[in-house]
């Protein structure tokens, strides 16, 4: 998802998300998830809106967004590649696979290729530990991924 939203759009959609979810116990994380689902990332502009609605400081909201790997600070590319860096995958070459992906794409983790095609993100267990190392490309999980297979998957979506 790589859409741009106007300030008004960001505010009104964020306010309606807050309205829907503020009754939950511990509403901050679900609200941030819903905001990311709506915009593809958590824009800086919405943090004060959320802070005010939940009676938190902006620093608290910012701290939570920074702490969790799941939240993006920038819009994602057209495709999102998540590579598992949790223990089972690490022991089966997950770090080396991540290095191959970085070289292949010419970017680091949490970054997007210059052409906007792929965002690379770490993930910590995809529930596919028995088929490590695991990856997820645009929501689809793949097990026993090696550098060649990864290059093939990426070539397919970047065509
Ligand atoms: S540790 Fe990678 S899928 Fe579980």
């Amino acid at each position: 998802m790589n859409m741009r939203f106007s300030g008004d759009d960001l505010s009104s959609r964020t306010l309606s998300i807050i309205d829907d979810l503020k009754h939950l116990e511990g509403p901050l994380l679900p609200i941030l998830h819903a905001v990311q689902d709506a915009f593809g990332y958590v824009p800086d502009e919405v943090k004060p809106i959320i802070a005010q609605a939940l009676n938190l400081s902006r620093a608290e909201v910012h701290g939570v967004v920074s702490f969790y790997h799941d939240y993006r600070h920038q819009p994602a590319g057209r495709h999102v590649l998540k590579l598992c860096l949790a223990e089972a995958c690490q022991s089966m070459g997950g770090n080396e696979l991540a290095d191959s992906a970085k070289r292949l794409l010419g970017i680091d983790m949490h970054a997007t290729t210059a052409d906007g095609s792929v965002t690379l993100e770490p993930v910590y267990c995809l529930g596919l530990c028995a088929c490590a190392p695991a990856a997820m490309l645009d929501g689809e999980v793949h097990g026993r991924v090696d550098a060649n297979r990864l290059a093939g998957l990426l070539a397919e979506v970047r065509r």
Side-chain angles (χ1 to χ4, degrees):
M1 200 180 304
N2 195 7
M3 290 177 272
R4 292 281 167 189
F5 296 88
S6 73
D8 283 353
D9 207 13
L10 286 175
S11 307
S12 64
R13 290 179 72 173
T14 301
L15 285 170
S16 114
I17 288 168
I18 292 169
D19 233 34
D20 287 347
L21 300 175
K22 69 177 178 215
H23 65 279
L24 297 176
E25 204 174 313
L28 180 56
L29 296 186
I31 287 172
L32 290 172
H33 272 294
V35 162
Q36 178 151 295
D37 284 348
F39 306 123
Y41 70 118
V42 180
D44 277 341
E45 302 93 301
V46 309
K47 292 176 192 166
I49 301 172
I50 296 171
Q52 191 178 14
L54 300 186
N55 218 3
L56 299 168
S57 71
R58 289 176 192 203
E60 283 171 305
V61 174
H62 182 74
V64 169
V65 174
S66 305
F67 179 77
Y68 289 98
H69 294 283
D70 269 1
Y71 299 123
R72 286 191 200 105
H73 304 267
Q74 304 287 335
R78 292 187 293 285
H79 304 283
V80 177
L81 173 64
K82 292 176 185 270
L83 294 177
C84 180
L85 297 182
E87 206 177 322
C89 286
Q90 275 197 29
S91 71
M92 294 299 285
N95 285 335
E96 292 73 13
L97 184 65
D99 286 342
S100 302
K102 289 183 206 169
R103 269 196 307 275
L104 195 65
L105 296 169
I107 53 173
D108 221 325
M109 284 291 173
H110 301 287
T112 299
T113 53
D115 64 357
S117 65
V118 181
T119 296
L120 180 61
E121 294 178 344
V123 67
Y124 296 89
C125 199
L126 289 165
L128 218 62
C129 316
C131 302
M136 183 189 264
L137 182 57
D138 295 337
E140 196 176 322
V141 288
H142 302 270
R144 297 198 178 90
V145 181
D146 61 14
N148 277 341
R149 180 134 176 260
L150 185 68
L153 289 169
L154 286 171
E156 231 168 82
V157 296
R158 295 181 91 187
R159 255 200 307 239

